Amino acid sequence: MFSRLIKVGFVVLAGLLLAAPLRGQYIPTHLSNTGIYEFMDELAALKVIELNSAIKPYSRSLISEKLMMAAAHQDQLNARQSSELAFYLKDYSGTPLKPTAYSLQPTAPNTQPETSWLWINRPQDQRLHFFSYSDTIFRITANPILGGNLWSNQHGTFHHWWNGVQTEASYGKFALFASIRDNHESDYLTNRDFMNQRIGLSNYKGFSGTTKRDYWEIRGGITYEWNWGHIGLLMDQFSWGDAHHGSNIFSGRTPAFSRIDLQLDPAKWLRFNYVHGWLISEVVDSTLSFWVNNSYGPDYREVYHPKFLAANMFTFRPFPHLYVGVGNSVIYDYRSPHAAFFIPVMFWKPLDHTLNARINNMNSQMFMTLSSRNLRGVHLYGSAFIDEVQVGRIFRDGEYNFTSVKFGTSIIPAFIHRSAGNIKLIFEYTWSNSLVFRHNVPTTTFESNQYNLGHFLEDNARDIYAAVEFRPWRTLRLKAWYNFSEKGPDHTLLGTMPRTTHTPLEPVVWESERYGISASMQIVHDLYLRLGYEIRTVTGEQEWIERWTPSVYQGETATLNIGLNYGF
């Protein structure tokens, strides 16, 4: 009987595979590929496309769909934007495209298998891949990952370089992707306590006490996509909440962790996202850890406590270009994943009180987002993260809820003159009360690998960010920017009580003021060149400066940066 079921399942799966068309594979475009994300945001701000930008990463199929929509409205774009559209269509279009007198139209699909190595047999209307193969139903690409950044300031010269490989494949509506990077730092630039937006690392390679600053990054997944949704098992970064300078819901800064990812678009006015993640607690379970003897001698085999995340988000579109999102999440630490947390539409707080009646609850959160592009060229957005709230505290002096709020705007002054579409103004403000994103139980903190899942400044912080961008030519971005950040003490570390009476930012123990200019250009697809100059002043109490700031940026510094990378 069991063997028959296996055979029936194999036949059904084979039927799905063979019946699936070429279009419609979910392959995420990584958050670090900033060029396409900025261009999508620009098209949405100009109302050329509709875009729910609070949920990232975008899939290749979504980007392809939006670019094709923009291609049908090129009369609304200036010369630089049209050139950039043609550039990205060579990468993200599901079928080969060629320019016509009025727009970019898909050519007839090639039914013959095509294989190319670099420039050998590469179609002129498609981007360069190190290796690619495609036929009517199967497609695969493979590319190297190479890159480096070099900085120089008063503390000396320091660098970060990396190498690896990435590949993407699709068969019908199924897709797989994987990438691996080996990273090398000359100084400690990446750390779970540093107040920056570098993607976290699980651990530096080598043993304690060594000077090695190398670490691995691994990402990958398998997905299935249909007309109104997708589901997949992924190990990749993701971000929830609109932001140009760090989201305060899920920032995408943590090392990649495995998760089930579900998205449903049952109607034009509704989107639903659900995530169930297997987090890394880094809290040793002494009951499961044990001693072993090997050629190195006695060794204590440590085992971590399990830790899980469940989160969902409903995004409503009451009017064109207006998106309102509400969602919630929970961090729980049962021995194994609990079935109740696989119910995607659940409200986790009351569920938690049912499952853990009369004992200490798990760690649950709520959040809201708002995004409006109803004025052409203007994007207004905001988000709120609610860790713990009581209405009574709002009206009692000296008491605070555990909340974080963020609001911002980006403006493309296209209403002045069409060529002004090459200018973009950005402003963001973030405020986080004490103890938001934090928790007193180490196995249910809002963290993975001890990296906060929320805003990169964590709790008890304020952040102001402003920038002016100028894009004179395809994929070339010139930017002048200013950033002011400040933090109060870490009350979790200090263990000060009572919890609800910590006045945010009293006292300020760490302050960072930064401003600078930068230039970046995507020379060919995925090949970025960067130049920058930054002046930074970090002040405060020495204990917190050393904890939250890399040594190469402490005090007053003027830093010159040059970087080059291919792939992500």
Side-chain angles (χ1 to χ4, degrees):
M1 181 65 181
F2 185 68
S3 62
R4 290 182 180 178
L5 290 175
I6 293 177
K7 292 178 181 178
V8 171
F10 177 78
V11 171
V12 172
L13 179 60
L16 287 171
L17 289 171
L18 294 175
L22 178 62
R23 296 295 301 276
Q25 309 91 4
Y26 179 86
I27 299 176
T29 298
H30 195 260
L31 302 173
S32 57
N33 192 350
T34 55
I36 185 61
Y37 281 94
E38 291 163 355
F39 186 59
M40 292 278 284
D41 182 74
E42 182 179 9
L43 293 177
L46 296 175
K47 304 177 79 169
V48 176
I49 63 173
E50 280 262 5
L51 185 65
N52 175 10
S53 53
I55 305 294
K56 298 181 181 73
Y58 304 147
S59 70
R60 290 186 60 86
S61 56
L62 172 69
I63 294 173
S64 174
E65 174 191 340
K66 299 302 182 181
L67 293 180
M68 292 296 291
M69 289 181 180
H73 298 88
Q74 284 198 87
D75 58 317
Q76 301 180 36
L77 306 178
N78 62 28
R80 191 270 306 170
Q81 292 160 347
S82 294
S83 175
E84 202 154 326
L85 174 63
F87 175 81
Y88 284 118
L89 276 168
K90 287 187 175 183
D91 188 2
Y92 290 94
S93 177
T95 55
L97 292 152
K98 63 179 181 180
T100 66
Y102 303 102
S103 64
L104 292 166
Q105 300 293 341
T107 61
N110 188 356
T111 59
Q112 299 298 318
E114 291 184 345
T115 303
S116 69
W117 291 87
L118 291 177
W119 291 275
I120 302 174
N121 297 327
R122 181 175 71 90
Q124 294 302 308
D125 50 6
Q126 295 183 32
R127 64 155 290 180
L128 172 70
H129 289 289
F130 182 79
F131 169 78
S132 69
Y133 171 86
S134 64
D135 56 33
T136 56
I137 197 168
F138 177 65
R139 174 181 175 270
I140 185 171
T141 63
N143 288 292
I145 299 174
L146 296 168
N149 281 310
L150 178 67
W151 299 269
S152 181
N153 64 18
Q154 288 85 337
H155 295 289
T157 300
F158 48 101
H159 65 264
H160 170 212
W161 65 275
W162 58 92
N163 55 279
V165 64
Q166 61 184 11
T167 183
E168 300 173 352
S170 60
Y171 189 84
K173 295 186 178 182
F174 289 87
L176 297 97
F177 69 96
S179 73
I180 184 170
R181 295 189 356 167
D182 192 10
N183 293 265
H184 317 271
E185 293 182 352
S186 62
D187 288 85
Y188 290 111
L189 305 174
T190 308
N191 186 290
R192 59 200 63 182
D193 286 329
F194 291 164
M195 296 295 111
N196 59 38
Q197 297 191 69
R198 293 177 66 85
I199 291 178
L201 57 92
S202 56
N203 192 31
Y204 283 105
K205 292 186 286 185
F207 297 98
S208 177
T210 66
T211 58
K212 291 194 71 172
R213 301 180 185 91
D214 299 347
Y215 60 95
W216 291 104
E217 282 184 276
I218 183 71
R219 302 192 291 260
I222 179 170
T223 65
Y224 178 81
E225 186 174 38
W226 58 98
N227 290 340
W228 52 278
H230 76 261
I231 189 169
L233 179 61
L234 309 178
M235 188 165 182
D236 194 19
Q237 280 81 19
F238 69 98
S239 173
W240 288 8
D242 280 287
H244 285 89
H245 194 247
S247 170
N248 67 334
I249 301 178
F250 292 113
S251 67
R253 182 188 176 227
T254 59
F257 56 85
S258 56
R259 74 182 193 274
I260 295 173
D261 191 275
L262 173 68
Q263 179 173 299
L264 304 177
D265 293 279
K268 289 184 178 180
W269 55 269
L270 175 63
R271 169 174 290 177
F272 174 74
N273 290 87
Y274 166 77
V275 164
H276 187 281
W278 281 255
L279 307 180
I280 296 90
S281 72
E282 295 196 10
V283 178
V284 174
D285 185 344
S286 60
T287 64
L288 295 179
S289 302
F290 52 93
W291 284 95
V292 297
N293 288 310
N294 53 40
S295 59
Y296 297 100
D299 185 32
Y300 188 57
R301 179 66 168 96
E302 296 168 310
V303 178
Y304 289 148
H305 277 277
K307 181 178 183 179
F308 308 98
L309 161 73
N312 60 32
M313 173 84 85
F314 294 86
T315 307
F316 303 94
R317 176 180 169 268
F319 308 104
H321 306 288
L322 176 64
Y323 294 86
V324 179
V326 292
N328 74 127
S329 60
V330 63
I331 311 292
Y332 71 98
D333 62 352
Y334 290 116
R335 288 290 186 183
S336 58
H338 195 291
F341 296 104
F342 285 97
I343 304 174
V345 296
M346 191 61 67
F347 184 35
W348 311 119
K349 187 71 173 180
L351 171 66
D352 180 30
H353 281 269
T354 301
L355 297 177
N356 297 285
R358 291 178 291 278
I359 63 174
N360 196 8
N361 300 127
M362 303 298 180
N363 181 16
S364 57
Q365 307 82 30
M366 293 181 59
F367 30 82
M368 295 170 285
T369 64
L370 175 67
S371 171
S372 170
R373 295 183 173 93
N374 296 96
L375 297 176
R376 178 175 166 83
V378 178
H379 184 200
L380 301 172
Y381 54 91
S383 55
F385 184 96
I386 303 170
D387 202 348
E388 180 182 313
V389 64
Q390 290 183 10
V391 176
R393 293 178 194 161
I394 300 174
F395 304 101
R396 290 195 293 265
D397 291 338
E399 291 195 24
Y400 302 89
N401 286 304
F402 305 159
T403 58
S404 172
V405 294
K406 183 184 193 75
F407 60 84
T409 183
S410 63
I411 301 173
I412 301 174
F415 52 84
I416 299 175
H417 188 272
R418 189 171 182 181
S419 62
N422 294 330
I423 299 174
K424 185 175 185 178
L425 311 176
I426 300 170
F427 175 81
E428 281 188 7
Y429 181 86
T430 307
W431 175 278
S432 299
N433 282 342
S434 299
L435 299 181
V436 66
F437 309 119
R438 314 305 290 267
H439 201 253
N440 61 323
V441 179
T443 55
T444 59
T445 56
F446 196 65
E447 298 173 327
S448 184
N449 284 117
Q450 299 185 33
Y451 280 86
N452 176 34
L453 296 169
H455 194 263
F456 71 94
L457 286 179
E458 301 180 353
D459 71 318
N460 205 3
R462 174 170 62 173
D463 186 67
I464 300 171
Y465 176 77
V468 179
E469 296 182 357
F470 179 50
R471 304 180 184 185
W473 193 68
R474 187 205 74 188
T475 72
L476 173 61
R477 182 180 64 162
L478 308 176
K479 181 169 72 170
W481 54 271
Y482 173 83
N483 179 218
F484 176 79
S485 307
E486 57 182 354
K487 279 181 63 66
D490 182 350
H491 293 292
T492 301
L493 180 67
L494 299 174
T496 49
M497 293 292 286
R499 301 181 307 132
T500 62
T501 59
H502 301 314
T503 303
L505 299 176
E506 289 189 9
V508 172
V509 299
W510 179 88
E511 188 175 281
S512 171
E513 186 175 36
R514 308 161 54 212
Y515 55 95
I517 56 174
S518 65
S520 68
M521 181 177 178
Q522 194 173 175
I523 302 171
V524 297
H525 296 93
D526 294 352
L527 177 62
Y528 282 82
L529 174 64
R530 298 175 300 279
L531 293 170
Y533 184 76
E534 170 194 303
I535 296 175
R536 179 188 312 215
T537 303
V538 178
T539 58
E541 298 181 11
Q542 192 61 30
E543 171 191 359
W544 304 107
I545 291 176
E546 292 178 357
R547 179 185 174 189
W548 289 333
T549 311
S551 60
V552 293
Y553 288 118
Q554 294 177 12
E556 296 184 5
T557 56
T559 306
L560 180 66
N561 165 239
I562 182 171
L564 182 71
N565 72 277
Y566 181 79
F568 306 94

